[in-house]
Amino acid sequence: MIELSTNRGCEIVDITPQVQRAVRDSGVIDGICLVYTLHTTTALIVNEAESGLLIDIIDKIREIVPGVGYRHGENGPAHLQASLLGNSVVLPVENGIPLLGTWQRILFVELDGPRRRRVGVKVMGSDVAR
């Protein structure tokens, strides 16, 4: 389990090192890694962690789901935003590490912070190289 604290209402946190550590600690050499958030107002995506892009992602998700007029209440938009982005990512594991492209990172998206959050990591596969 990855535990983190967010600092703002909306922010994106790169959790790639923590996921890589969880995969390494699992001993799995070849398989898959499921990363999932345990919260309904957060999301997970795989993308580049360039600062301008991270701001663009937050700006656009707020534009798609603006912050007013929801029956659920104050954090209604965060629930809808999280639903659009998704609550999990699945990555192949090769040679004991999550397989990511050159610029790809595993990004936790906070949509209703600041809060204390948990992200689960489940690694499945073989502990012997093929």
Coordinates of all heavy atoms in Angstrom, one line a residue, residues 17-115:
P17 N 8.1 6.1 -8.5 CA 9.1 5.4 -7.7 C 8.5 4.5 -6.6 O 9.1 3.4 -6.4 CB 9.8 6.6 -7.0 CG 9.6 7.8 -7.8 CD 8.2 7.5 -8.4
Q18 N 7.4 4.8 -6.0 CA 6.8 4.0 -5.0 C 6.2 2.7 -5.7 O 6.3 1.6 -5.1 CB 5.6 4.7 -4.3 CG 6.1 5.9 -3.5 CD 6.0 7.2 -4.2 OE1 6.3 7.3 -5.4 NE2 5.4 8.2 -3.5
V19 N 5.7 2.8 -6.9 CA 5.2 1.6 -7.6 C 6.4 0.7 -8.0 O 6.3 -0.5 -7.8 CB 4.3 2.0 -8.8 CG1 4.0 0.7 -9.6 CG2 3.1 2.7 -8.4
Q20 N 7.4 1.3 -8.5 CA 8.6 0.5 -8.9 C 9.2 -0.2 -7.7 O 9.6 -1.4 -7.8 CB 9.7 1.5 -9.5 CG 9.3 2.0 -10.8 CD 10.3 3.1 -11.3 OE1 10.8 3.9 -10.5 NE2 10.4 3.2 -12.6
R21 N 9.2 0.4 -6.5 CA 9.6 -0.2 -5.3 C 8.7 -1.4 -4.9 O 9.2 -2.5 -4.5 CB 9.7 0.8 -4.1 CG 10.3 0.3 -2.9 CD 10.5 1.3 -1.8 NE 11.0 2.6 -2.3 CZ 10.2 3.7 -2.3 NH1 9.0 3.7 -1.9 NH2 10.7 4.8 -2.8
A22 N 7.4 -1.2 -5.0 CA 6.5 -2.3 -4.7 C 6.7 -3.5 -5.6 O 6.6 -4.6 -5.2 CB 5.1 -1.8 -4.8
V23 N 6.9 -3.2 -6.9 CA 7.2 -4.3 -7.8 C 8.5 -5.0 -7.5 O 8.5 -6.2 -7.4 CB 7.2 -3.8 -9.3 CG1 7.7 -4.9 -10.3 CG2 5.8 -3.3 -9.7
R24 N 9.5 -4.3 -7.2 CA 10.8 -4.9 -6.9 C 10.6 -5.7 -5.6 O 11.1 -6.8 -5.6 CB 11.8 -3.8 -6.7 CG 13.2 -4.3 -6.4 CD 14.3 -3.2 -6.1 NE 13.9 -2.4 -4.9 CZ 13.6 -1.1 -4.9 NH1 13.7 -0.4 -6.0 NH2 13.3 -0.5 -3.8
D25 N 10.0 -5.2 -4.6 CA 9.8 -5.9 -3.3 C 9.0 -7.2 -3.5 O 9.1 -8.1 -2.7 CB 9.2 -5.0 -2.3 CG 10.1 -3.9 -1.8 OD1 11.3 -3.9 -2.2 OD2 9.7 -2.9 -1.2
S26 N 8.1 -7.2 -4.5 CA 7.2 -8.4 -4.7 C 8.0 -9.6 -5.2 O 7.6 -10.7 -5.0 CB 6.1 -8.0 -5.7 OG 6.7 -8.1 -7.0
G27 N 9.2 -9.4 -5.8 CA 9.9 -10.5 -6.3 C 9.5 -10.9 -7.7 O 10.1 -11.9 -8.3
V28 N 8.4 -10.4 -8.2 CA 7.9 -10.8 -9.5 C 8.8 -10.3 -10.6 O 9.2 -9.1 -10.7 CB 6.4 -10.2 -9.8 CG1 6.0 -10.4 -11.2 CG2 5.5 -10.9 -8.8
I29 N 9.2 -11.2 -11.5 CA 10.1 -10.9 -12.6 C 9.3 -10.6 -13.9 O 9.6 -9.7 -14.7 CB 11.1 -12.0 -12.9 CG1 11.9 -12.3 -11.7 CG2 12.0 -11.8 -14.1 CD1 12.8 -11.2 -11.2
D30 N 8.2 -11.4 -14.1 CA 7.4 -11.3 -15.4 C 6.0 -11.4 -15.0 O 5.6 -12.4 -14.4 CB 7.8 -12.4 -16.3 CG 7.1 -12.3 -17.6 OD1 6.8 -11.2 -18.1 OD2 6.9 -13.4 -18.2
G31 N 5.2 -10.4 -15.3 CA 3.8 -10.4 -14.9 C 3.1 -9.1 -15.2 O 3.4 -8.4 -16.2
I32 N 2.1 -8.8 -14.3 CA 1.4 -7.5 -14.4 C 1.3 -6.8 -13.0 O 1.4 -7.5 -12.0 CB 0.0 -7.7 -15.0 CG1 -0.9 -8.6 -14.1 CG2 0.1 -8.1 -16.4 CD1 -2.3 -8.6 -14.5
C33 N 1.1 -5.5 -13.1 CA 1.0 -4.7 -11.8 C -0.3 -3.9 -12.0 O -0.4 -3.1 -12.9 CB 2.2 -3.8 -11.7 SG 2.1 -2.7 -10.3
L34 N -1.1 -4.1 -11.0 CA -2.4 -3.3 -10.9 C -2.1 -2.3 -9.9 O -1.8 -2.6 -8.7 CB -3.5 -4.2 -10.5 CG -4.8 -3.5 -10.1 CD1 -5.4 -2.8 -11.3 CD2 -5.8 -4.5 -9.5
V35 N -2.4 -1.0 -10.2 CA -2.3 0.1 -9.3 C -3.7 0.7 -9.3 O -4.3 1.0 -10.3 CB -1.2 1.2 -9.8 CG1 -1.1 2.3 -8.8 CG2 0.1 0.5 -10.2
Y36 N -4.2 0.9 -8.1 CA -5.6 1.3 -7.9 C -5.7 2.3 -6.7 O -5.1 2.1 -5.7 CB -6.6 0.2 -7.8 CG -6.2 -0.8 -6.7 CD1 -6.9 -0.7 -5.4 CD2 -5.2 -1.7 -6.8 CE1 -6.6 -1.5 -4.4 CE2 -4.9 -2.6 -5.7 CZ -5.6 -2.4 -4.5 OH -5.2 -3.3 -3.5
T37 N -6.6 3.3 -6.9 CA -6.8 4.2 -5.8 C -8.0 3.7 -5.0 O -9.0 3.1 -5.5 CB -7.1 5.6 -6.3 OG1 -7.4 6.4 -5.2 CG2 -8.2 5.7 -7.3
L38 N -8.0 3.9 -3.7 CA -9.0 3.5 -2.8 C -10.0 4.6 -2.5 O -10.8 4.5 -1.5 CB -8.5 2.9 -1.5 CG -7.9 1.5 -1.6 CD1 -6.5 1.5 -2.2 CD2 -7.9 0.9 -0.2
H39 N -10.1 5.6 -3.3 CA -10.9 6.8 -3.1 C -11.7 7.2 -4.3 O -11.2 7.0 -5.4 CB -10.0 8.0 -2.7 CG -9.1 7.6 -1.6 ND1 -9.5 7.6 -0.2 CD2 -7.8 7.2 -1.6 CE1 -8.4 7.2 0.5 NE2 -7.4 7.0 -0.3
T40 N -12.9 7.7 -4.1 CA -13.8 8.0 -5.2 C -13.6 9.4 -5.8 O -14.3 9.8 -6.8 CB -15.3 7.8 -4.8 OG1 -15.5 8.7 -3.7 CG2 -15.6 6.4 -4.4
T41 N -12.7 10.2 -5.2 CA -12.4 11.5 -5.7 C -11.0 11.7 -6.1 O -10.4 12.7 -6.0 CB -12.9 12.6 -4.7 OG1 -12.2 12.4 -3.5 CG2 -14.4 12.7 -4.5
T42 N -10.4 10.6 -6.5 CA -9.0 10.6 -7.0 C -9.0 9.7 -8.2 O -9.9 8.9 -8.5 CB -8.0 10.0 -6.0 OG1 -8.3 8.6 -5.7 CG2 -8.0 10.8 -4.7
A43 N -7.9 9.8 -9.0 CA -7.7 9.0 -10.2 C -6.3 8.6 -10.4 O -5.4 9.1 -9.7 CB -8.3 9.8 -11.4
L44 N -6.1 7.7 -11.3 CA -4.7 7.3 -11.7 C -4.6 7.4 -13.3 O -5.5 6.9 -14.0 CB -4.4 5.9 -11.3 CG -4.2 5.8 -9.8 CD1 -4.3 4.4 -9.3 CD2 -2.8 6.3 -9.4
I45 N -3.5 7.9 -13.7 CA -3.3 8.0 -15.2 C -1.8 7.7 -15.4 O -1.0 7.8 -14.5 CB -3.6 9.4 -15.8 CG1 -2.9 10.5 -15.2 CG2 -5.1 9.6 -15.7 CD1 -3.1 11.9 -15.8
V46 N -1.5 7.3 -16.6 CA -0.1 7.2 -17.1 C 0.1 8.3 -18.1 O -0.6 8.3 -19.1 CB 0.2 5.8 -17.7 CG1 1.6 5.7 -18.2 CG2 0.0 4.7 -16.6
N47 N 1.1 9.1 -17.9 CA 1.4 10.2 -18.8 C 2.7 10.8 -18.4 O 3.4 10.4 -17.5 CB 0.3 11.3 -18.8 CG 0.1 11.9 -20.1 OD1 1.1 12.3 -20.8 ND2 -1.2 12.0 -20.6
E48 N 3.1 11.8 -19.2 CA 4.4 12.5 -18.9 C 4.1 13.4 -17.6 O 3.1 13.9 -17.4 CB 4.7 13.4 -20.1 CG 6.0 14.0 -20.0 CD 6.4 14.7 -21.4 OE1 5.9 14.4 -22.4 OE2 7.3 15.6 -21.3
A49 N 5.2 13.6 -16.9 CA 5.1 14.4 -15.6 C 5.6 15.8 -15.8 O 6.0 16.5 -14.8 CB 5.8 13.7 -14.5
E50 N 5.7 16.3 -17.0 CA 6.2 17.7 -17.3 C 5.2 18.7 -16.6 O 4.0 18.6 -16.7 CB 6.2 17.9 -18.8 CG 6.9 19.2 -19.2 CD 6.0 20.3 -19.3 OE1 4.8 20.1 -19.7 OE2 6.4 21.5 -19.0
S51 N 5.7 19.7 -15.9 CA 4.9 20.6 -15.1 C 3.8 21.3 -15.9 O 2.7 21.4 -15.4 CB 5.8 21.6 -14.4 OG 6.5 22.4 -15.3
G52 N 4.1 21.8 -17.1 CA 3.1 22.4 -17.9 C 2.0 21.5 -18.3 O 0.8 21.9 -18.2
L53 N 2.3 20.3 -18.6 CA 1.2 19.3 -18.9 C 0.4 19.0 -17.7 O -0.9 18.9 -17.8 CB 1.9 18.0 -19.5 CG 0.9 16.9 -19.8 CD1 -0.1 17.3 -20.8 CD2 1.6 15.6 -20.1
L54 N 1.0 18.9 -16.5 CA 0.2 18.6 -15.3 C -0.8 19.7 -15.1 O -2.0 19.4 -14.7 CB 1.1 18.4 -14.1 CG 2.1 17.2 -14.3 CD1 3.0 17.1 -13.0 CD2 1.5 15.9 -14.6
I55 N -0.4 20.9 -15.3 CA -1.3 22.1 -15.1 C -2.4 22.0 -16.1 O -3.6 22.2 -15.8 CB -0.6 23.4 -15.2 CG1 0.4 23.5 -14.0 CG2 -1.5 24.6 -15.2 CD1 1.4 24.7 -14.1
D56 N -2.1 21.7 -17.4 CA -3.1 21.6 -18.5 C -4.1 20.5 -18.1 O -5.3 20.7 -18.4 CB -2.4 21.2 -19.8 CG -1.6 22.4 -20.4 OD1 -1.8 23.5 -20.0 OD2 -0.7 22.1 -21.3
I57 N -3.6 19.3 -17.6 CA -4.6 18.3 -17.3 C -5.6 18.7 -16.2 O -6.8 18.5 -16.4 CB -3.8 17.0 -16.8 CG1 -3.0 16.4 -17.9 CG2 -4.8 16.0 -16.1 CD1 -2.0 15.3 -17.5
I58 N -5.1 19.4 -15.2 CA -6.0 19.9 -14.1 C -7.0 20.9 -14.7 O -8.2 20.9 -14.5 CB -5.2 20.4 -12.9 CG1 -4.6 19.3 -12.2 CG2 -6.1 21.2 -12.0 CD1 -3.6 19.7 -11.1
D59 N -6.4 21.9 -15.5 CA -7.3 22.9 -16.1 C -8.3 22.3 -17.0 O -9.5 22.7 -16.9 CB -6.4 23.9 -16.9 CG -5.6 24.8 -16.1 OD1 -5.8 24.9 -14.8 OD2 -4.7 25.5 -16.7
K60 N -8.0 21.4 -17.8 CA -9.0 20.8 -18.7 C -10.0 19.9 -18.0 O -11.2 20.0 -18.4 CB -8.3 20.0 -19.8 CG -7.6 20.8 -20.8 CD -8.5 21.8 -21.5 CE -7.8 22.8 -22.3 NZ -8.6 23.9 -22.8
I61 N -9.6 19.2 -17.0 CA -10.6 18.4 -16.3 C -11.6 19.3 -15.6 O -12.8 19.0 -15.5 CB -10.0 17.3 -15.4 CG1 -11.0 16.2 -15.0 CG2 -9.4 17.9 -14.1 CD1 -11.4 15.3 -16.1
R62 N -11.1 20.4 -15.1 CA -12.0 21.4 -14.4 C -12.9 22.1 -15.5 O -14.1 22.4 -15.2 CB -11.2 22.5 -13.7 CG -10.6 22.0 -12.4 CD -9.7 23.1 -11.8 NE -9.4 22.8 -10.4 CZ -8.4 23.5 -9.8 NH1 -7.8 24.5 -10.4 NH2 -8.1 23.2 -8.6
E63 N -12.4 22.2 -16.7 CA -13.2 22.8 -17.8 C -14.3 21.8 -18.2 O -15.5 22.2 -18.4 CB -12.3 23.2 -18.9 CG -13.0 23.8 -20.1 CD -12.0 24.1 -21.2 OE1 -10.9 24.6 -21.0 OE2 -12.4 23.7 -22.4
I64 N -14.0 20.6 -18.3 CA -14.9 19.5 -18.7 C -16.0 19.4 -17.7 O -17.2 19.2 -18.0 CB -14.2 18.2 -19.0 CG1 -13.3 18.4 -20.2 CG2 -15.2 17.1 -19.2 CD1 -12.3 17.2 -20.4
V65 N -15.6 19.4 -16.4 CA -16.5 19.2 -15.3 C -16.4 20.4 -14.3 O -15.6 20.4 -13.4 CB -16.3 17.9 -14.5 CG1 -17.3 17.8 -13.4 CG2 -16.4 16.7 -15.4
P66 N -17.1 21.5 -14.6 CA -16.9 22.7 -13.8 C -17.4 22.5 -12.4 O -18.1 21.5 -12.1 CB -17.7 23.8 -14.5 CG -18.6 23.0 -15.4 CD -18.0 21.7 -15.7
G67 N -17.1 23.4 -11.5 CA -17.4 23.3 -10.1 C -18.7 23.7 -9.5 O -18.8 23.9 -8.3
V68 N -19.7 23.8 -10.3 CA -21.0 24.3 -9.7 C -22.2 23.5 -10.2 O -22.1 22.9 -11.3 CB -21.3 25.8 -10.0 CG1 -20.3 26.7 -9.3 CG2 -21.3 26.1 -11.5
G69 N -23.3 23.4 -9.4 CA -24.5 22.9 -9.9 C -24.7 21.4 -9.8 O -25.4 20.8 -10.6
Y70 N -24.2 20.7 -8.7 CA -24.3 19.3 -8.6 C -25.1 18.9 -7.4 O -25.0 19.5 -6.3 CB -22.9 18.7 -8.5 CG -22.1 18.9 -9.7 CD1 -21.2 20.1 -9.8 CD2 -22.2 18.1 -10.8 CE1 -20.5 20.3 -10.9 CE2 -21.4 18.4 -12.0 CZ -20.6 19.5 -12.0 OH -19.9 19.8 -13.2
R71 N -26.0 17.9 -7.6 CA -26.8 17.4 -6.5 C -26.1 16.8 -5.3 O -26.5 16.8 -4.2 CB -27.9 16.5 -7.0 CG -28.9 17.1 -7.9 CD -29.9 16.1 -8.5 NE -30.6 16.6 -9.6 CZ -30.2 16.5 -10.8 NH1 -29.1 16.0 -11.2 NH2 -31.0 17.1 -11.8
H72 N -24.9 16.2 -5.6 CA -24.1 15.5 -4.6 C -23.5 16.5 -3.6 O -23.2 16.1 -2.5 CB -23.0 14.7 -5.3 CG -22.2 13.9 -4.3 ND1 -22.7 12.8 -3.6 CD2 -20.9 14.0 -3.9 CE1 -21.8 12.3 -2.8 NE2 -20.7 13.0 -2.9
G73 N -23.4 17.7 -4.0 CA -22.8 18.7 -3.1 C -21.5 19.3 -3.5 O -21.1 19.2 -4.7
E74 N -20.8 19.8 -2.5 CA -19.5 20.5 -2.8 C -18.5 19.7 -3.6 O -17.8 20.2 -4.4 CB -18.9 20.9 -1.5 CG -17.8 21.9 -1.6 CD -17.3 22.4 -0.3 OE1 -18.1 22.9 0.5 OE2 -16.1 22.2 0.0
N75 N -18.4 18.4 -3.3 CA -17.3 17.6 -4.0 C -17.9 16.8 -5.1 O -17.3 15.9 -5.7 CB -16.5 16.8 -3.1 CG -17.2 15.6 -2.5 OD1 -18.5 15.5 -2.6 ND2 -16.5 14.7 -1.8
G76 N -19.1 17.1 -5.5 CA -19.7 16.4 -6.7 C -18.9 16.4 -7.9 O -18.7 15.4 -8.6
P77 N -18.3 17.6 -8.3 CA -17.4 17.6 -9.5 C -16.2 16.7 -9.4 O -15.9 16.0 -10.3 CB -17.0 19.1 -9.5 CG -18.0 19.8 -8.8 CD -18.5 18.9 -7.7
A78 N -15.7 16.5 -8.2 CA -14.5 15.7 -8.0 C -14.9 14.2 -8.3 O -14.1 13.5 -8.9 CB -13.9 15.8 -6.6
H79 N -16.1 13.8 -7.9 CA -16.5 12.4 -8.2 C -16.7 12.2 -9.7 O -16.2 11.2 -10.2 CB -17.9 12.1 -7.5 CG -17.8 12.0 -6.0 ND1 -17.3 10.8 -5.4 CD2 -18.0 12.8 -5.0 CE1 -17.4 10.9 -4.1 NE2 -17.8 12.2 -3.8
L80 N -17.2 13.2 -10.4 CA -17.4 13.0 -11.8 C -16.1 13.1 -12.6 O -15.8 12.3 -13.5 CB -18.3 14.1 -12.4 CG -19.8 14.0 -11.9 CD1 -20.6 15.2 -12.3 CD2 -20.4 12.8 -12.3
Q81 N -15.2 14.0 -12.1 CA -13.8 14.1 -12.7 C -13.1 12.7 -12.6 O -12.5 12.2 -13.5 CB -13.1 15.2 -12.1 CG -13.6 16.6 -12.5 CD -13.1 17.7 -11.5 OE1 -12.5 17.4 -10.5 NE2 -13.4 18.9 -11.9
A82 N -13.2 12.2 -11.4 CA -12.5 10.9 -11.1 C -13.1 9.8 -12.0 O -12.3 8.9 -12.5 CB -12.6 10.5 -9.6
S83 N -14.4 9.8 -12.2 CA -15.0 8.8 -13.0 C -14.5 8.9 -14.5 O -14.4 7.9 -15.1 CB -16.5 9.0 -13.0 OG -17.0 8.7 -11.7
L84 N -14.3 10.1 -14.9 CA -13.8 10.3 -16.3 C -12.4 9.8 -16.5 O -12.0 9.3 -17.5 CB -14.0 11.7 -16.7 CG -15.4 12.2 -16.9 CD1 -15.4 13.7 -17.2 CD2 -16.1 11.5 -18.0
L85 N -11.6 10.0 -15.5 CA -10.2 9.7 -15.6 C -9.9 8.2 -15.3 O -9.0 7.6 -15.9 CB -9.3 10.5 -14.7 CG -9.2 12.0 -15.0 CD1 -8.5 12.8 -13.9 CD2 -8.6 12.2 -16.4
G86 N -10.6 7.6 -14.4 CA -10.4 6.2 -14.0 C -9.7 6.0 -12.7 O -8.9 6.9 -12.3
N87 N -9.9 4.9 -12.1 CA -9.4 4.6 -10.7 C -8.2 3.6 -10.7 O -7.7 3.3 -9.6 CB -10.5 4.2 -9.8 CG -11.0 2.8 -10.1 OD1 -10.8 2.3 -11.2 ND2 -11.7 2.2 -9.1
S88 N -7.8 3.2 -11.9 CA -6.7 2.2 -11.9 C -5.9 2.2 -13.2 O -6.4 2.7 -14.2 CB -7.2 0.8 -11.6 OG -8.1 0.4 -12.7
V89 N -4.7 1.7 -13.1 CA -3.9 1.4 -14.3 C -3.3 0.0 -14.1 O -3.0 -0.4 -13.0 CB -2.8 2.5 -14.5 CG1 -3.4 3.8 -14.8 CG2 -1.8 2.5 -13.4
V90 N -3.1 -0.7 -15.2 CA -2.4 -2.0 -15.3 C -1.2 -1.9 -16.2 O -1.3 -1.4 -17.3 CB -3.4 -3.1 -15.8 CG1 -2.7 -4.4 -15.9 CG2 -4.6 -3.2 -14.9
L91 N -0.1 -2.3 -15.6 CA 1.2 -2.2 -16.4 C 1.8 -3.6 -16.5 O 1.8 -4.4 -15.5 CB 2.1 -1.3 -15.6 CG 1.7 0.1 -15.4 CD1 2.5 0.8 -14.3 CD2 1.7 0.9 -16.6
P92 N 2.4 -3.9 -17.6 CA 3.2 -5.1 -17.7 C 4.5 -5.0 -16.8 O 5.0 -3.9 -16.6 CB 3.7 -5.2 -19.1 CG 3.0 -4.1 -19.8 CD 2.5 -3.1 -18.8
V93 N 4.9 -6.1 -16.2 CA 6.1 -6.2 -15.5 C 7.1 -7.0 -16.3 O 6.8 -8.2 -16.6 CB 5.9 -6.8 -14.1 CG1 7.3 -7.0 -13.4 CG2 5.0 -5.9 -13.2
E94 N 8.2 -6.5 -16.6 CA 9.3 -7.2 -17.3 C 10.6 -7.0 -16.6 O 11.0 -5.9 -16.3 CB 9.4 -6.7 -18.8 CG 8.2 -7.1 -19.6 CD 8.4 -6.7 -21.1 OE1 9.5 -6.3 -21.5 OE2 7.4 -6.9 -21.8
N95 N 11.3 -8.1 -16.4 CA 12.6 -8.0 -15.7 C 12.5 -7.3 -14.4 O 13.4 -6.6 -14.0 CB 13.7 -7.4 -16.6 CG 13.9 -8.1 -17.9 OD1 14.0 -9.3 -17.9 ND2 13.9 -7.4 -19.0
G96 N 11.4 -7.5 -13.7 CA 11.3 -7.0 -12.3 C 10.9 -5.5 -12.2 O 10.9 -5.0 -11.1
I97 N 10.6 -4.9 -13.3 CA 10.2 -3.5 -13.3 C 8.9 -3.2 -14.1 O 8.7 -3.9 -15.1 CB 11.3 -2.5 -13.7 CG1 11.7 -2.9 -15.2 CG2 12.5 -2.6 -12.8 CD1 12.6 -1.8 -15.8
P98 N 8.1 -2.2 -13.7 CA 6.9 -1.9 -14.5 C 7.4 -1.4 -15.9 O 8.3 -0.5 -15.9 CB 6.2 -0.8 -13.7 CG 6.8 -0.8 -12.4 CD 8.2 -1.4 -12.5
L99 N 6.8 -1.8 -16.9 CA 7.2 -1.4 -18.3 C 6.5 -0.1 -18.6 O 5.3 0.0 -18.7 CB 6.8 -2.5 -19.3 CG 7.2 -2.2 -20.7 CD1 8.7 -2.1 -20.9 CD2 6.7 -3.3 -21.6
L100 N 7.3 0.9 -18.7 CA 6.9 2.3 -19.1 C 7.7 2.8 -20.2 O 8.9 2.5 -20.4 CB 7.0 3.2 -17.9 CG 6.1 2.9 -16.7 CD1 6.6 3.7 -15.4 CD2 4.7 3.3 -17.0
G101 N 7.1 3.7 -21.0 CA 7.8 4.3 -22.1 C 8.7 5.4 -21.6 O 8.7 5.7 -20.4
T102 N 9.5 5.9 -22.5 CA 10.6 6.9 -22.1 C 10.1 8.0 -21.2 O 10.7 8.3 -20.2 CB 11.2 7.5 -23.3 OG1 11.7 6.5 -24.1 CG2 12.3 8.5 -23.0
W103 N 8.9 8.6 -21.5 CA 8.4 9.7 -20.7 C 7.3 9.4 -19.8 O 6.8 10.2 -19.1 CB 8.0 10.9 -21.6 CG 9.1 11.3 -22.5 CD1 9.2 11.1 -23.9 CD2 10.3 12.0 -22.1 NE1 10.4 11.6 -24.3 CE2 11.1 12.1 -23.3 CE3 10.8 12.4 -20.9 CZ2 12.4 12.8 -23.2 CZ3 12.1 13.0 -20.9 CH2 12.8 13.2 -22.0
Q104 N 6.8 8.1 -19.8 CA 5.7 7.7 -19.0 C 6.0 7.7 -17.5 O 7.0 7.1 -17.1 CB 5.1 6.4 -19.5 CG 4.4 6.5 -20.9 CD 3.9 5.2 -21.3 OE1 4.4 4.1 -21.0 NE2 2.7 5.2 -21.9
R105 N 5.0 8.2 -16.8 CA 5.0 8.1 -15.3 C 3.7 7.7 -14.8 O 2.7 7.9 -15.5 CB 5.4 9.5 -14.7 CG 6.7 10.1 -15.3 CD 7.9 9.3 -15.0 NE 8.2 9.4 -13.6 CZ 9.3 8.8 -13.0 NH1 10.0 8.0 -13.7 NH2 9.5 9.0 -11.7
I106 N 3.6 7.1 -13.6 CA 2.4 6.8 -13.0 C 1.9 7.9 -12.1 O 2.7 8.3 -11.2 CB 2.5 5.5 -12.2 CG1 3.1 4.4 -13.1 CG2 1.2 5.1 -11.6 CD1 3.7 3.2 -12.3
L107 N 0.8 8.5 -12.4 CA 0.4 9.8 -11.8 C -0.9 9.6 -11.0 O -1.9 9.1 -11.5 CB 0.2 10.9 -12.9 CG 1.4 11.1 -13.8 CD1 1.0 12.1 -14.9 CD2 2.6 11.6 -13.0
F108 N -0.9 10.0 -9.8 CA -2.0 10.0 -8.9 C -2.6 11.4 -9.0 O -2.0 12.4 -8.8 CB -1.6 9.8 -7.4 CG -2.7 9.9 -6.4 CD1 -3.5 8.8 -6.2 CD2 -2.9 11.0 -5.7 CE1 -4.5 8.8 -5.2 CE2 -3.9 11.1 -4.8 CZ -4.7 10.0 -4.5
V109 N -3.9 11.4 -9.3 CA -4.6 12.7 -9.5 C -5.6 13.0 -8.3 O -6.6 12.2 -8.1 CB -5.4 12.7 -10.8 CG1 -6.1 14.1 -11.0 CG2 -4.6 12.3 -12.0
E110 N -5.3 14.0 -7.5 CA -6.1 14.4 -6.4 C -7.1 15.4 -6.9 O -6.7 16.4 -7.6 CB -5.2 15.0 -5.3 CG -6.0 15.7 -4.2 CD -6.8 14.7 -3.4 OE1 -6.2 14.0 -2.6 OE2 -8.1 14.7 -3.5
L111 N -8.4 15.2 -6.6 CA -9.4 16.0 -7.1 C -10.3 16.7 -6.0 O -11.2 17.5 -6.2 CB -10.4 15.3 -8.0 CG -9.6 14.7 -9.3 CD1 -10.4 13.6 -10.0 CD2 -9.3 15.9 -10.3
D112 N -10.0 16.3 -4.7 CA -10.8 16.8 -3.6 C -9.9 16.9 -2.3 O -10.3 16.4 -1.2 CB -11.9 15.8 -3.3 CG -12.9 16.3 -2.3 OD1 -13.1 17.5 -2.2 OD2 -13.6 15.5 -1.6
G113 N -8.7 17.5 -2.5 CA -7.8 17.5 -1.4 C -7.9 18.9 -0.6 O -8.8 19.6 -0.8
P114 N -6.9 19.1 0.2 CA -5.9 18.2 0.6 C -6.4 17.1 1.6 O -7.3 17.3 2.4 CB -4.9 19.0 1.3 CG -5.6 20.2 1.8 CD -6.8 20.4 0.9
R115 N -5.8 15.9 1.4 CA -6.2 14.7 2.2 C -5.1 13.7 2.3 O -4.1 13.8 1.5 CB -7.4 14.0 1.5 CG -8.7 14.8 1.5 CD -9.8 14.0 0.9 NE -11.0 14.8 0.7 CZ -12.1 14.6 1.4 NH1 -12.2 13.7 2.3 NH2 -13.2 15.4 1.1

